[in-house]
Amino acid sequence: MLLCGLALYGLSSGLILQAGLGVDPWDVLHQGLARTFRGQVGTWAILASVVVLLLWLPLRARFGVGTLANAVLVGLCINVTVWLVPVPHSLALQALLLMTGILLNAFATGLYIGAGFGPGPRDGLTTAFAARGHSIRLVRTVIEIAVLAVGWLLGGSVGVGTLLYAAAIGPLTHITIPLLRPGVPAVPPAGDRL
């Protein structure tokens, strides 16, 4: 489940990139870094994961094998997908690629989280800050806005795909995570709500 989920996550991110209609906030950053400093988007995703993991150290966050696999495998699969999947030249195909990417991303998230081998670097950073008494919603929002802004300033693509991803990924993973990890409630107890 872990390896399949991470591979599909990288594939889904690559599809969203190739759609050319805007990408999720972290990939706006990765794409902006690739455009500014050269290199592949997936390679920058790996490098960003390493930096994020270094931020875990002062927070004393604990990681698992899934955390390390996430840091490397997702970026490699992004690079392979971007290499293999051509950029579509019609809006209908772009929209199809975007929607497929978003749905696949939600499914992949449910798979790799459901495997239970540790959070991804970015998710772990959020939960490590939240464990210090901050709202997960606030922490996640601040981090996402910050990486989106930096990525956009570096030339990353912000568009309708960015907005659609932001609106859809929460409700979709609300379904896929409990579905693919039995025993995880769809709605957390009142004290744990975001």
Side-chain angles (χ1 to χ4, degrees), residues 3 6-11 14 72-82:
L3 295 177
L6 295 177
L8 289 176
Y9 195 96
L11 169 65
V72 176
L73 191 57
V74 170
L76 292 176
C77 291
I78 290 172
N79 285 344
V80 170
T81 303
V82 168

Side-chain angles (χ1 to χ4, degrees), residues 66-106:
T67 308
L68 300 176
N70 183 306
V72 176
L73 191 57
V74 170
L76 292 176
C77 291
I78 290 172
N79 285 344
V80 170
T81 303
V82 168
W83 179 61
L84 289 175
V85 176
V87 174
H89 297 291
S90 75
L91 184 58
L93 287 176
Q94 287 176 289
L96 179 63
L97 216 54
L98 174 66
M99 294 304 298
T100 301
I102 291 172
L103 291 171
L104 189 58
N105 190 280

